[in-house]
Amino acid sequence: RFDFKKIPQQLIIKRLKELAAFESVTIPEEILVQIARKSEGCLRDAESLLGQILSLAEKGTVSHEAGSIAIPQTNLNHIYQFISLLNSRKLGEALSFIHERLGEGTDPEVFITDALEYLRQVLMVKAIGANYMPDFDEQTVVQMRSLSDAMSIPDIRRMIEIFMKESYYSRATLIPQLPLELACVAFCSDVLGLVEQGS
């Protein structure tokens, strides 16, 4: 019997850096972080993704644009800012923030998926406390703990449920950003919140 465990994100990033150096290819740190996150603790998957990205290298360098072709990226600091705005019920600012990110090329479906994982981590921090350590970089962990202090468990749960619902509809809508916009409205509106809780 073999018990397989997930490899910590930082160890995967370290290994990816070694492989990239061996191939004499320079890759932005952000892309390596994305690879580690997408692999979900599996080194073999991470190495496979790295291989795809290495094939996009030009003159020994992988650009941010090339890396985004293989792995659509979401800035975790942007997710932190977005959730903070929603938690403060700043609907207009949250919508404007999303429109700015989409204007920069952020994929709305990827953003929702990453926001769900981010919120799951915040929920675990809130429920378990200091003994729970999210497998993210130090800045992201600090921000997650800050949100867990600022949010109640019912609010975290409601936000997750709303994003899950809108994530389902995102695959069918003709307007890619609409599910994300509706999620903002649903959470920030007390009337809609009461309707959802009573349904």
Side-chain angles (χ1 to χ4, degrees), residues 16 19 35 39 42-55 70-71:
L16 295 178
L19 293 173
I35 295 174
S39 66
C42 178
L43 182 58
R44 184 169 61 180
D45 288 350
E47 291 178 347
S48 177
L49 284 171
L50 178 65
Q52 296 176 35
I53 291 177
L54 288 176
S55 67
I71 303 180

Side-chain angles (χ1 to χ4, degrees), residues 76-132:
L76 294 181
N77 186 52
H78 287 166
I79 292 180
Y80 166 72
Q81 295 176 60
F82 173 64
I83 294 175
S84 296
L85 289 172
L86 288 183
N87 186 51
S88 299
R89 306 303 195 277
K90 296 179 178 178
L91 176 58
E93 291 184 38
L95 290 173
S96 294
F97 186 84
I98 283 300
H99 292 162
E100 289 173 7
R101 302 292 78 76
L102 298 182
E104 295 169 354
T106 297
D107 185 318
E109 188 172 344
V110 172
F111 191 92
I112 290 180
T113 300
D114 288 345
L116 276 169
E117 172 58 22
Y118 197 102
L119 285 165
R120 185 182 77 85
Q121 296 293 336
V122 172
L123 179 61
M124 293 299 101
V125 171
K126 184 73 174 183
I128 299 174
N131 290 331
Y132 183 77

Side-chain angles (χ1 to χ4, degrees), residues 131-142:
N131 290 331
Y132 183 77
M133 178 58 67
D135 186 20
F136 289 84
D137 62 89
E138 183 177 352
Q139 178 186 355
T140 300
V141 172
V142 169

